[in-house]
Amino acid sequence: MSQKTYDYPSLKARFQAQWRIILGAFVFIFIADSIGQFSFSIGAGSLILFPIFYAIILGIITGPQVFKVFKPKDVDAAKKLVIVCICPFIAKIGINAGASLDTVIAAGPALLLQELGNLFTIFLALPIAIALGMKREAIGATHSINRETNLALMNDMFGPDSDEARGSLSVYIVGGMIGTIYFGFMVSLVAATGLLHPYALGMASGVGAGIMMASAVATLSEIFPTYADQISALAATSETLSGTTGIYVAIFLGIPLCNKIYAVLEPKIGRKKGE
């Protein structure tokens, strides 16, 4: 796909060139929000579909590879707009973190250190990504859970057209589609074992992805209605911590670790072009 940079002399010129994707975004939002949340049970677990799932599906089927409502140039332009669209959400995370500072301090070491758990997935995911043929995209894809803050970080550190940013965006999209379903289903299966207290499950729901947390909390609230308020509070606190500490863990630990592992493994197990 072309990686052209589109520069416009004015906001009016930009709107005239990109009105299709802007209008399309509002149409997708309207349709997805109208459908709303949908859940159904499968055995001991339950699946929950959120509006973002429908919006992503609509984007895929109207893209250049399917019905071709949008052209490759629209896709290139839309990539630049991703960071603009998530900036309000990132600002909201900062405001919530400041307002919840006392809660963060009182949360204890279990919550404060939970973000370090994401680092261990690097040792599993990054070698697999390299072995499958990914290059620098693997760093963006595996350095974290890749939600809004991480996507913004990749764009800031490497640029919106970089391999690292594309890898991060890919996992962001897959997480929005599959992650929400997986989280809701997985937490219901874990809860069915009875091995963990509802509070622990609520704590574990806040991984730095608001939509995934919402999926897990909704499922847990149905399974443990008497603990619904406590589960929601613990999940929100955990989510706040993950959103604030996660960015620093990614900057100072996750990305450097990925760069080091990539430098060692890519020459040994990476695929050459044409393989």
Side-chain angles (χ1 to χ4, degrees):
M1 185 179 294
S2 173
Q3 298 298 323
K4 295 179 181 178
T5 299
Y6 298 93
D7 296 319
Y8 302 96
S10 66
L11 182 62
K12 180 180 179 181
R14 176 180 289 274
F15 182 79
Q16 289 175 338
Q18 299 180 352
W19 67 269
R20 289 165 58 88
I21 57 176
I22 297 172
L23 177 62
F26 280 105
V27 171
F28 293 167
I29 291 171
F30 177 79
I31 294 174
D33 195 53
S34 298
I35 296 173
Q37 181 177 316
F38 179 71
S39 63
F40 53 95
S41 299
I42 298 181
S46 60
L47 297 181
I48 301 178
L49 302 180
F50 286 86
I52 190 174
F53 177 82
Y54 317 127
I56 292 174
I57 292 296
L58 288 170
I60 292 174
I61 64 176
T62 56
Q65 306 302 323
V66 187
F67 291 116
K68 301 181 179 180
V69 176
F70 298 104
K71 309 301 181 185
K73 67 175 183 179
D74 296 323
V75 177
D76 284 343
K79 289 189 298 184
K80 309 290 192 308
L81 296 175
V82 171
I83 186 62
V84 177
C85 295
I86 67 175
C87 277
F89 181 79
I90 296 171
K92 180 177 180 291
I93 290 177
I95 294 171
N96 288 344
S100 306
L101 188 59
D102 291 341
T103 304
V104 170
I105 295 174
L111 284 177
L112 292 172
L113 296 176
Q114 70 164 12
E115 187 62 30
L116 296 177
N118 283 338
L119 295 177
F120 292 99
T121 62
I122 293 174
F123 294 98
L124 173 65
L126 184 55
I128 293 176
I130 294 173
L132 289 175
M134 294 180 68
K135 299 300 181 182
R136 296 287 300 183
E137 299 94 334
I139 293 174
T142 64
H143 82 282
S144 72
I145 196 171
N146 274 302
R147 300 319 295 164
E148 288 80 5
T149 51
N150 304 106
L151 188 60
L153 176 62
M154 288 293 103
N155 278 266
D156 183 63
M157 290 186 67
F158 300 101
D161 288 328
S162 65
D163 293 337
E164 292 86 353
R166 285 196 293 273
S168 180
L169 179 61
S170 298
V171 175
Y172 177 83
I173 293 173
V174 172
M177 293 180 62
I178 301 176
T180 53
I181 299 174
Y182 174 74
F183 259 60
F185 186 65
M186 178 182 66
V187 77
S188 62
L189 292 179
V190 175
T193 65
L195 297 176
L196 298 174
H197 193 278
Y199 290 177
L201 294 173
M203 237 183 263
S205 300
V207 295
I211 189 171
M212 296 181 189
M213 181 201 73
S215 176
V217 168
T219 302
L220 289 172
S221 296
E222 291 184 7
I223 298 173
F224 306 108
T226 56
Y227 294 108
D229 291 340
Q230 294 91 332
I231 290 172
S232 179
L234 285 168
T237 302
S238 179
E239 180 70 15
T240 299
L241 284 166
S242 294
T244 53
T245 63
I247 194 73
Y248 297 108
V249 171
I251 292 173
F252 297 111
L253 296 175
I255 295 174
L257 180 61
C258 281
N259 280 323
K260 184 65 176 178
I261 295 176
Y262 181 86
V264 172
L265 293 184
E266 202 284 327
K268 298 179 180 178
I269 65 174
R271 291 185 179 181
K272 302 294 188 293
K273 289 185 177 180
E275 289 185 0

